[in-house]
Structure formats: structure tokens, C-alpha cells
Amino acid sequence: MQFGIFTVGDVTPDPTSGRTPSEHERIKAMVAIALKAEEVGLDVFATGEHHNPPFVLSSPTTMLGFIAAQTERIILSTSTTLITTNDPVKIAEDFAMLQHLAQGRVDLMMGRGNTGPVYPWFGQDIRQGIPLAIENYALLHRLWREDVVDWEGRFRTPLQSFTSTPRPLDGVPPFVWHGSIRSPEIAEQAAYYGDGFFANNIFWPKEHFKKLINLYRERYAHYGHGTAEQAVVGLGGQVFMRRNSQDAVREFRPYFDNAPVYGHGPSLEEFTDQTPLTVGSPQEVIEKTLAFRESFGDYQRQLFLMDHAGLPLKTVLEQLDLLGEEVVPVLREEFAKGRPAEVPDGPTHEALAARHAAEAAQAAGTTV
């Protein structure tokens, strides 16, 4: 399994001090968090995409390219790439370029986002969200796999004899996840292409995400990509830790109560009871995360949200120390126990390139 963190890049006041970081400070903090994630042994750092305050992550490939130059091992991903409002040609070229710069340590997660006004800002209609996601990804999928593309669709100008450059590294496109909070059409899309499906797994009870993941697994098998158990699943999660659970609750409560997304709603206790949020000791985080397998089956990637709601950088770095030193090593060991041999590992460029080379060699042998 792969373990990592994702950020949404919010600029939020610290409710305990009243101080709001500048955009510059927040951007630099996210870079420090990514570098710390590699230092403590995590596998993935993922960043979202937003085009409105209070968020600053408007250019994920710029951010990830800067981080790639300062890291050696960690996979760099998006936790949302807006397939609905970005031009698929630009996505194809930007992420292929990033793939080359990062020596293949790149994948991305398609999503529609949760900000309605972004659609008209980029010349689109929110009522066409699902059709945009389907058509744009169909084009992106071809641009990475065909050297010359002719295309005509509903939402962009036609392409004639177009070649996206640079071509994907080693002839292998970045691995794609399709992220969804509520849309079965996106689970179906992920299954159709044999891509990964990522369930946000933050704001809703597990029963909601269980339905989406089960649908994806069933349709993955239906399209002939493998068994339902071989489908590639990722999950989100959200944690705040201190060695003593009472200290964790006391310290995190003001951040929870004033968070832009869920503040002034359910109590912290209600939210932790009904959603995957864990506020407590490292052992409590381990136990709740291990329980995900009971609901969703064996899966490939677990990402945690840890740097939101105004938490200061110092606190987030302390959280990453606990995650990397006390939580993830235990999760790796425990998730490996009883894991069927046919369940695939988390996707990497090396593995995808090796499979691509083997398939090409087989095809050449068959041709001869």
C-alpha cells in the first residue's frame, strides 16, 4: 500500500491566535510539508486545484514541479485536477512535462471540484459537469496514447492531426485516479478505462462511499480489467494526533469548530463518530484506519488531510513526524497481513513502464 497526504491549500485564520498567513507563507508552507512527507517516509504528496479564495492552489503542476526538483522518491499527485474546466490538451502536455521532470513520479486525480462559479469563469456550464468530465477525459486518454489525434466533440474546437508534446515518459501516461464524493457516473468512468477510483472519504459516513466503491469494483470486473478485488482503490482520511488523546481533542477543537467547511455544524464528537475523522492518539488513528479494510476491502492508497483549518506549519510538521514514525509503519505491517497475492500494489511509473514493455515485447513476438 501507499500512504501519503493531500492538501487543499486553504488560507485560513488560526482561531487560537487570530493570525492569517499570507498567500506567500501558505504556498511556502505547503512546499515544506511536501519535503517533510518525503523525509518521514511517506509515499505520496497530493495537491488540489482551486481558482478562488481562500485557496491558493491554482497551478498544481507549477507547485509539483518545484517540489519534484527538491525530492527524490515521493510520488507527486493531484488530489483534484479539474477535468471539466481545464482544456484536456493542456492537461496532457502539462502532466507529460511534469512526468519527465520528476522522472515518472507523477500521477493525477480527475475531479469536477466543489466550486460552482468556476465553470463560467472558464467558459463552461455547470449543468454540463458530467458530460464535460466524460468527453474531456476521453480526449485526454487518447492524447497520451495516440501519436496523432483527430477529434471532434461538443465542448472544444476540433483537432486535426494533432500531436501532444512532450510524449509521455517511456511511452507510459501518468496513472489516473478518478475522484468522487457522490457521482456514480465517475465510478463508472474509472471502471470503464481500468483507472483508479479515489473516494474522498472525509465528509460522509462510510456507507455512502462503500456504495460507490462497490459499484466501481463490480464495473471494473465487468469491463474485463480483472476481478473486483483487483480494482485500484484509494481513500482519503483526516487525522489530528497527540500522544495523549485528550490533548489532541483539546488542541484540535477550536480548529474544528471554526473550519470553513464543517465548522459551526455537528460537534467534534458527532463528526468523529459519523465520519473517518480521527482526533486522538496514534494508536486510535491506527485502529480506525485499519477498520477501513472491513468496509472497502483491500485497497492501494491511503491519503490523509492534515494541514487545513488554520493549523500552523509547526503543528502540521509535528503531525507528520507522528504519522511517519508511529502510524504508517504499523499500518504497512498490518495491511500486509492476509492481503491476497492477486491484490495489486499501489501504482508506480516503474511498474507501469515494465508492464508496457512486456506487452510490447509480447506483441512483437506475436507479430513475428
Side-chain angles (χ1 to χ4, degrees), residues 63-343:
M63 167 73 79
L64 295 177
F66 185 74
I67 294 168
Q70 302 176 71
T71 55
E72 297 180 354
R73 184 190 54 79
I74 197 165
I75 295 171
L76 303 171
S77 181
T78 57
S79 52
T80 304
T81 293
L82 296 175
I83 189 62
T84 46
T85 51
N86 282 309
D87 182 359
V89 172
K90 195 69 168 71
I91 295 175
E93 295 185 337
D94 284 352
F95 280 90
M97 177 66 78
L98 178 60
Q99 196 188 31
H100 283 272
L101 293 173
Q103 297 295 325
R105 295 181 291 123
V106 174
D107 57 35
L108 66 161
M109 188 187 307
M110 300 299 168
R112 291 179 294 136
N114 57 10
T115 306
V118 74
Y119 284 81
W121 294 341
F122 288 87
Q124 301 295 350
D125 183 345
I126 191 172
R127 294 169 295 184
Q128 299 297 323
I130 293 292
L132 277 163
I134 293 171
E135 180 177 302
N136 283 354
Y137 185 65
L139 174 55
L140 176 61
H141 192 268
R142 288 185 58 191
L143 289 169
W144 276 334
R145 290 165 175 82
E146 300 176 28
D147 288 339
V148 180
V149 173
D150 293 308
W151 170 268
E152 186 170 350
R154 293 173 56 193
F155 300 111
R156 76 170 324 279
T157 53
L159 298 174
Q160 296 180 348
S161 301
F162 179 78
T163 299
S164 173
T165 60
R167 305 305 296 149
L169 179 65
D170 300 321
V172 179
F175 186 82
V176 170
W177 303 82
H178 299 260
S180 181
I181 295 176
R182 59 189 177 275
S183 302
E185 297 92 339
I186 301 304
E188 175 77 17
Q189 183 184 40
Y192 176 81
Y193 287 102
D195 295 336
F197 180 70
F198 191 92
N200 174 280
N201 198 37
I202 289 181
F203 302 119
W204 297 58
K206 63 179 181 293
E207 289 76 15
H208 171 81
F209 291 107
K210 185 176 180 180
K211 293 177 182 177
L212 284 175
I213 291 173
N214 286 345
L215 171 63
Y216 161 67
R217 289 187 183 277
E218 291 168 6
R219 300 301 289 171
Y220 183 95
H222 169 79
Y223 288 115
H225 301 298
T227 66
E229 292 73 25
Q230 291 173 320
V232 182
V233 173
L235 296 176
Q238 190 175 182
V239 300
F240 185 86
M241 293 174 284
R242 289 302 184 197
R243 297 191 186 282
N244 181 291
S245 59
Q246 289 80 10
D247 291 339
V249 171
R250 181 172 57 253
E251 184 175 348
F252 188 66
R253 187 180 298 280
Y255 295 97
F256 176 88
D257 289 345
N258 294 279
V261 176
Y262 44 59
H264 311 289
S267 70
L268 176 59
E269 288 72 19
E270 291 171 331
F271 205 82
T272 53
D273 179 60
Q274 297 173 20
T275 77
L277 172 64
T278 308
V279 180
S281 66
Q283 184 58 38
E284 288 174 299
V285 171
I286 290 168
E287 292 172 359
K288 192 162 186 177
T289 305
L290 288 174
F292 291 170
R293 181 161 60 175
E294 299 172 10
S295 299
F296 308 117
D298 287 292
Y299 60 108
Q300 283 66 39
R301 180 173 290 183
Q302 175 66 57
L303 300 183
F304 296 102
L305 175 64
M306 306 187 77
D307 72 324
H308 64 120
L311 288 165
L313 176 60
K314 178 177 180 294
T315 300
V316 176
L317 297 180
E318 292 167 352
Q319 295 291 300
L320 290 173
D321 279 328
L322 289 171
L323 185 67
E325 295 170 6
E326 300 191 24
V327 174
V328 166
V330 178
L331 292 178
R332 290 192 197 279
E333 181 178 352
E334 292 300 317
F335 273 119
K337 293 178 180 177
R339 189 179 180 91
E342 65 269 18
V343 173

Side-chain angles (χ1 to χ4, degrees), residues 354-368:
R355 185 172 71 182
H356 175 74
E359 290 173 351
Q362 184 179 23
T366 301
T367 302
V368 172

